[in-house]
């Protein structure tokens, strides 16, 4: 599922007209103020939402926000103390407050017909608002007393990263925000929003490499991880490395603010610590003399597993999450690319963390990548299916997208939805050849089942690697 502001605006505009019409056709107020209500079932994309009822209050139909949002793949955070509900992830989120008709989004405030209210531990929000904000068509069927919600395009989504600065500006303007920490291809990659001067050291008993990042703190993505915000240690699980046991990171000191990253080793190994743009890289190798990424004629490939942490992406028929599927496929891609001696790999994430879209672009830009590939699973109505790949720029990226589509399609055996042009942020703002792959549909029962299978994922991963290699050989 893709998150794209422009598309989002289009959906909202298109849907608003439908929603307005439908809302007017909803049952009129009973005249008995809020005490008099009717209850109706809710169908989303042809599926009945269990334990979900729409309630009509003073002529406004209200729906349970958590159930609807989560079915659409948006996270919902509820703060009991403030009565605030946050849908989606900051900064591209919507914030509602119990008892207040004003909702806040990055583009401004929106007034609802009725204020959200709590009933039986369930928060109800006007259907019209939910429809317009989440890109849903809304239909009310009086005879069966049912509200029908229909996703409009294949990737309904909340607005993506706003053009303005993050909601939590750094206290010190010289301080760097650490946006992502990942480990793949025997390489630790730390992405910051401005330059940092890393200080490395090796400690023995047990062996470990310590990297301190002076004047740095966690960026909004990593801060979503609650343990990161409280200064506790976050562990990044590492697979496929004989030398590395795990990676840990924490806010080591608050004054001066310092992020510390520790590579716990199974055995002593050499390493090289260096920067590239605002990336901090630690290459592990036994002689400690490996060439920096992208040198010795090597091509730099950035693999971007979509979504992560509180952003699950599309939710499958059986509840499987896009973020888990794409991470699993991407780690298999990483294991295969590691064996390619002429490719240096960087992953935007190697665990269940959230990286803003701009942060993903930044990693690829700083890495001076030769290829950027974002990996996703699609979401739509239950009968939609197929594999598709997107590129933003015909000259730069179409050949990459075509090649990836050809290989992955052969591996999935799904319907051919083609290699197509689209304006998604991660492929538009990256300046190297870039493509966004949608392997198949999480919302299609057959495709979801296959995409969660290890052997199928391995087949897709091989196809992705074959596509990347074919593209690099011909470019
Ligand atoms: Zn996605």
């Amino acid at each position: 599922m893709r998150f794209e502001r422009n598309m989002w605006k289009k959906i909202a505009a298109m849907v608003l007209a439908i929603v307005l019409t439908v809302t007017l056709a909803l049952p009129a107020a009973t005249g008995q103020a809020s005490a008099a209500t009717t209850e109706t079932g809710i169908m989303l994309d042809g599926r009945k939402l269990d334990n979900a009822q729409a309630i009509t209050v003073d002529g406004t139909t209200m729906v349970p926000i958590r159930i609807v949002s989560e079915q659409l793949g948006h996270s919902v955070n509820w703060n009991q103390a403030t009565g605030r509900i946050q849908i989606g992830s900051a900064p591209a989120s919507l914030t509602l407050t119990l008892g207040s008709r004003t909702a806040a989004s990055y583009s401004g405030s929106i007034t609802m017909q009725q204020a959200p209210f709590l009933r039986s531990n369930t928060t109800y929000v006007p259907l019209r608002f939910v429809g317009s904000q989440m890109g849903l068509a809304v239909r009310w069927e009086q005879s069966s007393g049912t509200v029908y919600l229909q996703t409009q395009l294949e990737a309904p989504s909340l607005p993506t990263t706003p053009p303005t600065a993050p909601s939590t500006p750094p206290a010190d303007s010289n301080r760097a925000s650490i946006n992502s920490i990942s480990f793949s291809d025997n390489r630790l990659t730390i992405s910051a929003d401005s330059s940092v001067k890393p200080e490395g050291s090796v400690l023995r008993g047990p062996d470990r490499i310590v990297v301190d990042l002076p004047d740095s703190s966690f960026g909004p993505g990593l801060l979503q991880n609650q343990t990161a915000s409280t200064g506790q240690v976050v562990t990044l699980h590492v697979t496929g490395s004989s030398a590395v046991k795990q990676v840990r990171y924490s806010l080591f000191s608050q004054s001066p603010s310092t992020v510390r990253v520790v590579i716990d080793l199974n055995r002593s190994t050499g390493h090289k610590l260096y920067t590239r743009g605002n990336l901090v890289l630690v290459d592990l190798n036994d002689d400690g003399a490996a060439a920096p990424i992208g040198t010795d004629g090597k091509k730099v490939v950035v693999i971007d597993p979509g979504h992560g942490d509180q952003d699950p992406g599309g939710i499958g028929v059986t509840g499987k999450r896009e973020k888990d599927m794409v991470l699993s496929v991407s780690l298999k891609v990483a294991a295969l690319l590691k064996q390619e001696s002429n490719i240096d790999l960087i992953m935007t994430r190697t665990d269940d963390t959230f990286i803003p879209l701009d942060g993903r672009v930044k990693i690829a830009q700083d890495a001076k990548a030769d290829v950027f590939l974002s990996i996703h699973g699609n979401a739509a109505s239950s009968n939609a299916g197929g594999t598709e790949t997107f590129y933003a720029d015909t000259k730069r990226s179409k050949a990459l997208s075509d090649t990836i589509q050809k290989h992955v399609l052969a591996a999935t055996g799904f319907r051919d939805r083609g290699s197509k042009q689209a304006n998604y942020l991660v492929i538009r703002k990256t300046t190297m050849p870039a493509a966004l792959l949608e392997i198949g549909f999480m919302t299609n029962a057959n495709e979801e089942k296959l995409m969660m299978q290890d052997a199928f994922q391995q087949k897709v991963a091989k196809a992705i690697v074959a596509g990347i290699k074919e593209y690099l050989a011909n470019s």
Side-chain angles (χ1 to χ4, degrees):
M1 199 169 78
R2 307 166 296 271
F3 279 52
E4 177 60 35
R5 189 160 54 92
N6 290 338
M7 183 185 77
W8 153 248
K9 275 184 180 163
K10 267 184 237 158
I11 300 171
M14 188 171 72
V15 167
L16 191 63
I18 304 168
V19 173
L20 283 172
T21 315
V22 173
T23 310
L24 293 174
L26 290 174
T30 58
Q32 283 287 314
S34 55
T37 59
T38 53
E39 296 198 347
T40 58
I42 303 173
M43 300 280 286
L44 175 62
D45 286 341
R47 212 146 46 94
K48 186 163 192 332
L49 298 184
D50 290 338
N51 305 317
Q53 295 278 321
I55 303 179
T56 304
V57 181
D58 290 346
T60 302
T61 300
M62 313 279 286
V63 293
I65 189 66
R66 178 181 291 278
I67 294 175
V68 173
S69 298
E70 289 182 346
Q71 285 293 324
L72 291 170
H74 304 309
S75 61
V76 178
N77 287 307
W78 158 243
N79 185 327
Q80 198 156 15
T82 59
R84 281 212 182 126
I85 307 132
Q86 182 187 312
I87 305 166
S89 43
S93 61
L94 283 167
T95 304
L96 316 180
T97 308
L98 282 184
S100 164
R101 288 175 58 205
T102 305
S105 79
Y106 75 86
S107 57
S109 60
I110 306 149
T111 304
M112 293 173 276
Q113 284 177 306
Q114 289 272 354
F117 65 82
L118 195 63
R119 177 189 279 195
S120 308
N121 280 326
T122 301
T123 305
Y124 289 86
V125 172
L127 171 64
R128 173 172 157 180
F129 172 81
V130 173
S132 64
Q133 293 304 309
M134 295 188 179
L136 298 168
V138 181
R139 187 163 64 85
W140 156 253
E141 192 177 274
Q142 197 159 18
S143 57
S144 61
T146 305
V147 167
Y148 288 86
L149 304 174
Q150 184 73 42
T151 50
Q152 281 296 291
L153 288 180
E154 290 176 355
S157 64
L158 289 172
T160 183
T161 314
T164 49
S167 53
T168 46
D172 172 357
S173 57
N174 292 324
R175 191 183 291 174
S177 282
I178 306 302
N179 287 325
S180 82
I181 298 171
S182 66
F183 188 91
S184 58
D185 200 13
N186 269 327
R187 176 177 301 122
L188 176 75
T189 305
I190 301 166
S191 171
D193 70 343
S194 57
S195 82
V196 284
K197 291 194 174 63
E199 292 163 4
S201 53
V202 176
L203 300 174
R204 304 278 174 215
D207 288 316
R208 56 204 192 274
I209 299 164
V210 177
V211 179
D212 281 336
L213 307 165
D215 297 318
S216 71
S217 57
F218 290 118
L222 290 176
L223 267 179
Q224 299 282 350
N225 189 329
Q226 285 309 304
T227 44
S229 60
T230 56
Q232 290 168 341
V233 177
V234 179
T235 302
L236 179 64
H237 296 282
V238 171
T239 51
S241 169
S242 63
V244 176
K245 189 191 288 172
Q246 63 183 13
V247 172
R248 294 174 290 139
Y249 56 90
S250 65
L251 192 62
F252 176 66
S253 155
Q254 297 217 341
S255 83
S257 185
T258 305
V259 168
R260 169 170 283 189
V261 184
V262 178
I263 305 172
D264 287 319
L265 300 170
N266 290 317
R267 57 176 171 82
S268 167
T269 182
H271 78 279
K272 183 182 184 112
L273 169 65
Y274 61 105
T275 59
R276 178 160 168 137
N278 299 328
L279 293 179
V280 175
L281 299 146
V282 182
D283 280 353
L284 301 182
N285 49 84
D286 286 330
D287 57 11
I293 59 160
T295 56
D296 285 356
K298 289 187 175 189
K299 299 291 185 184
V300 178
V301 172
V302 172
I303 297 290
D304 173 43
H307 312 278
D309 198 14
Q310 81 286 357
D311 167 15
I315 304 288
V317 183
T318 68
K320 301 292 191 302
R321 302 171 302 189
E322 179 188 352
K323 66 168 187 175
D324 301 323
M325 186 276 288
V326 297
L327 179 61
S328 185
V329 170
S330 299
L331 290 174
K332 290 178 170 68
V333 171
L336 292 169
L337 283 179
K338 198 173 137 183
Q339 297 164 19
E340 299 295 329
S341 55
N342 58 347
I343 290 177
D344 276 322
L345 169 69
I346 287 184
M347 303 272 288
T348 56
R349 68 180 179 102
T350 49
D351 68 342
D352 187 23
T353 48
F354 176 77
I355 305 148
L357 294 180
D358 282 340
R360 297 170 197 254
V361 171
K362 191 155 180 23
I363 291 171
Q365 295 298 112
D366 280 337
K368 298 189 175 66
D370 296 291
V371 165
F372 174 88
L373 180 65
S374 192
I375 300 179
H376 290 252
N378 235 325
S381 59
S382 59
N383 52 5
T387 300
E388 59 192 352
T389 311
F390 296 96
Y391 56 91
D393 179 83
T394 308
K395 274 193 208 126
R396 197 186 66 213
S397 304
K398 183 175 185 301
L400 172 66
S401 175
D402 290 352
T403 310
I404 296 290
Q405 175 69 10
K406 180 183 77 179
H407 283 273
V408 175
L409 182 70
T412 61
F414 296 164
R415 191 154 75 78
D416 185 4
R417 300 174 67 90
S419 168
K420 297 180 282 197
Q421 193 166 25
N423 243 355
Y424 305 119
L425 188 142
V426 292
I427 52 174
R428 185 180 73 233
K429 285 199 173 174
T430 39
T431 56
M432 70 290 305
L436 187 151
L437 166 67
E438 300 271 9
I439 300 167
F441 283 71
M442 300 298 292
T443 42
N444 177 306
N446 177 53
E447 294 186 2
E448 181 203 26
K449 190 173 156 218
L450 284 168
M451 286 192 291
M452 296 308 297
Q453 285 172 4
D454 208 60
F456 185 87
Q457 291 182 356
Q458 189 62 32
K459 197 161 74 166
V460 169
K462 275 187 186 163
I464 290 169
V465 171
I468 291 169
K469 285 173 66 180
E470 182 182 319
Y471 172 77
L472 286 173
N474 296 326
S475 63

